Each structure stands twice: as structure tokens, then as C-alpha cells.
């Protein structure tokens, strides 16, 4: 198992954003997380990738604990040097691309492998060019983000995440900032990664995509997992009334 998140809690200013959330992801599995805005989906991803600290629960990668709650209810994380190893297990693709505007596309991709993972420039550049080719934008290596469309920028962001060779890739609504035509470009890339058995957790509002590509769909609302299971079962025969209400919106 790549990831285990057990009984995760997170609050901001007294507001409980995640309430006793448990999530497991196996190698090669694609898990889509759906739900209304404000349900805690993005916060769950930020906790899983160590961009936010949890207020309770346990996080394990590859069977090793990265964070846990002790008998007194206090949360501990591994030493920061060990945490770097855990961070290397996961990659995150954001809604807004988050590319460095003053870096070329190539430098955006090679910077972290060279400076964080201490890989050689030659190896990092070779990997970057392979990934840009896979994304269909190898000719943009020397361009800058402002010269690319939103869909191209998001494909660069995916290449940048893959360049770190993560065990699991998280997507936080990767198409929410794109128009329908560009959305298709990015979803095509994610479908290809799914076919290659890349382990992924995708927060998305693209329901047909989630149904077609996922091994499992999780519906979140109000900081809890309301329902989860086989995509066809969840979309065509939801058991919980809250799930039915949410999905009705997409049937209109």
C-alpha cells in the first residue's frame, strides 16, 4: 500500500474541516474525490502532501509512519530530514499551475530534481525532455510560462511533478482554471497515466472522467467521507441521500 491516512482531523480557527477521515491508496490505483466546494477535499490533499499539518490521526507512506497522534492526543511528525524522504513519495499538481514565471519551462522541471534530489543536470534534463515529449510540448522547453496556453502550462506542471519520480501523484482540481477545450488536453494526459498504472488521487468536478478512469470514487461533504466505492455504483446507484443531491446537479 502506498498511502494510509487514518482518522485524520484538521481544523482552522476552530472550524473542523476534516473530521475523522480515513483513506488508503494501493499501488496503481486511481482514486477520484468528488464533492461540493468547501467539503475538505483540497485540505485532505494538502495534509497528505505535508503542506498542512494534521490535528489528529496518522499518515503512513509505504508502511512507514510520517505523522501520528500520541496517547496524550498530540500530533508528532518524523524529523525534518526523514520528512524529506516522505515528501519525495508524493507529487501534487495544483489548480493554478504554480509555475515559476521567470524560469523557462525546462528550468521549471529540472530545478527540484537537481537541488532537492541532488540529481545531475544531465539526468534531470534528459528526464525533463522525455516528459515534455510525453506531454506533447517538447518544442516549448525554452519558452516561458506566459507564452503557453493554460492547458500547456498544466501539462508542464504534471511533467514537473513526474520529474521527481513520485510513488503517488495528487491532482487538486487540475482543470478548474481551464476552458472545456483545454480541459480535454489535460484529462487526456491523466487518462494516459492511469493506463500506465500511475498511482493517483484526483480531486475533480469532471464526473464523466471520474467515472471512466477511477478504480474508486470517494464522495466528501462537510469534512467527512459520505460514500465511496466502485465508480459505476456510486454514480448510478448512490446509497446516501447527500450523494444523490450532489449528483443531481450534474444531471441537469
Amino acid at each position: 500500500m502506498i498511502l494510509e491516512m487514518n482518522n485524520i482531523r484538521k481544523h482552522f480557527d476552530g472550524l473542523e474541516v476534516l473530521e475523522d477521515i480515513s483513506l488508503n491508496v494501493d499501488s496503481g490505483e486511481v482514486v477520484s474525490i468528488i464533492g461540493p466546494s468547501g467539503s475538505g477535499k483540497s485540505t485532505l490533499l494538502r495534509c497528505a502532501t505535508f503542506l498542512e499539518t494534521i490535528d489528529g490521526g496518522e499518515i503512513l507512506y509505504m508502511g512507514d509512519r510520517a505523522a501520528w497522534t500520541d496517547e496524550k492526543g498530540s500530533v508528532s511528525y518524523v524529523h525534518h530530514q526523514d520528512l524529506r524522504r516522505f515528501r519525495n513519495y508524493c507529487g501534487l499538481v495544483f489548480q493554478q499551475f504554480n509555475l515559476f514565471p521567470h524560469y523557462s519551462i525546462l528550468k521549471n522541471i529540472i530545478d527540484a530534481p537537481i537541488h532537492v534530489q541532488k540529481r545531475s543536470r544531465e539526468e534531470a534534463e534528459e528526464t525533463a525532455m522525455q516528459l515534455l515529449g510525453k506531454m506533447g510540448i517538447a518544442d516549448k522547453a525554452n519558452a516561458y510560462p506566459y507564452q503557453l496556453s493554460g492547458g500547456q502550462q498544466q501539462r508542464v506542471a504534471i511533467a514537473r511533478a513526474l520529474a521527481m519520480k513520485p510513488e503517488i501523484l495528487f491532482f487538486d482540481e487540475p482543470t478548474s482554471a481551464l476552458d472545456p477545450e483545454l480541459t480535454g488536453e489535460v484529462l487526456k494526459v491523466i487518462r494516459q497515466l492511469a493506463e500506465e498504472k500511475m498511482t493517483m488521487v484526483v480531486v475533480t468536478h469532471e464526473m464523466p472522467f471520474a467515472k471512466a478512469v477511477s478504480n474508486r470514487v470517494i464522495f466528501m461533504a462537510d469534512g467527512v467521507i459520505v460514500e465511496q466505492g466502485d465508480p459505476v455504483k456510486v454514480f448510478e446507484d448512490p446509497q446516501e441521500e447527500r450523494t444523490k443531491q450532489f449528483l443531481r446537479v450534474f444531471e441537469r
Side-chain angles (χ1 to χ4, degrees):
M1 188 170 293
I2 302 288
L3 170 66
E4 294 178 60
M5 300 182 77
N6 300 317
N7 310 113
I8 300 298
R9 292 187 296 103
K10 178 65 182 177
H11 60 76
F12 294 107
D13 299 323
L15 176 65
E16 199 83 5
V17 179
L18 299 175
E19 300 181 34
D20 196 26
I21 293 274
S22 293
L23 168 68
N24 295 334
V25 184
D26 287 324
S27 178
E29 189 176 21
V30 179
V31 178
S32 287
I33 303 178
I34 63 172
S37 297
S39 58
K41 305 183 303 295
S42 295
T43 300
L44 181 63
L45 262 56
R46 291 179 65 84
C47 289
T49 53
F50 308 108
L51 294 176
E52 297 282 358
T53 55
I54 60 174
D55 294 315
E58 180 184 47
I59 301 175
L60 300 90
Y61 275 95
M62 316 298 285
D64 293 333
R65 288 201 308 183
W68 61 93
T69 306
D70 63 23
E71 295 174 355
K72 297 179 181 178
S74 298
V75 173
S76 298
Y77 278 78
V78 294
H79 189 272
H80 67 87
Q81 289 182 331
D82 290 321
L83 195 58
R84 188 180 305 164
R85 172 172 61 91
F86 283 99
R87 286 193 170 114
N88 282 334
Y89 287 140
C90 54
L92 176 59
V93 177
F94 300 89
Q95 297 178 30
Q96 300 292 339
F97 326 136
N98 286 18
L99 301 178
F100 295 112
H102 55 294
Y103 283 3
S104 70
I105 296 309
L106 182 63
K107 184 168 173 56
N108 261 284
I109 297 173
I110 68 173
D111 198 58
I114 290 173
H115 293 105
V116 177
Q117 295 183 336
K118 308 302 180 185
R119 284 151 59 187
S120 70
R121 176 173 291 273
E122 182 180 17
E123 180 193 352
E125 288 187 354
E126 181 180 351
T127 299
M129 291 308 299
Q130 288 174 351
L131 289 168
L132 286 174
K134 185 175 184 175
M135 301 296 150
I137 46 175
D139 59 327
K140 304 296 184 182
N142 295 316
Y144 286 81
Y146 77 91
Q147 297 173 305
L148 274 58
S149 70
Q152 290 171 328
Q153 289 187 59
Q154 191 61 295
R155 281 182 276 163
V156 172
I158 295 171
R160 180 179 61 180
L162 289 170
M164 298 293 283
K165 300 183 178 180
E167 296 289 340
I168 183 171
L169 196 53
F170 296 89
F171 292 85
D172 187 6
E173 298 188 22
T175 61
S176 64
L178 305 175
D179 64 35
E181 184 178 357
L182 299 181
T183 291
E185 293 178 9
V186 174
L187 294 182
K188 182 179 178 181
V189 169
I190 300 175
R191 283 176 185 269
Q192 181 183 348
L193 292 173
E195 290 170 2
E196 296 169 2
K197 300 300 181 185
M198 180 73 200
T199 309
M200 294 184 285
V201 177
V202 186
V203 170
T204 183
H205 288 297
E206 300 292 333
M207 299 302 147
F209 167 80
K211 183 178 178 181
V213 174
S214 309
N215 301 107
R216 181 159 44 103
V217 169
I218 293 172
F219 172 64
M220 282 182 64
D222 303 319
V224 300
I225 292 176
V226 177
E227 187 165 353
Q228 63 177 310
D230 176 85
V232 174
K233 178 73 173 175
V234 171
F235 283 110
E236 296 185 4
D237 187 25
Q239 301 301 298
E240 301 295 330
E241 184 57 36
R242 186 67 184 87
T243 315
K244 295 175 184 177
Q245 290 175 2
F246 176 76
L247 292 175
R248 279 191 203 110
V249 175
F250 294 92
E251 294 171 358
R252 292 171 186 167

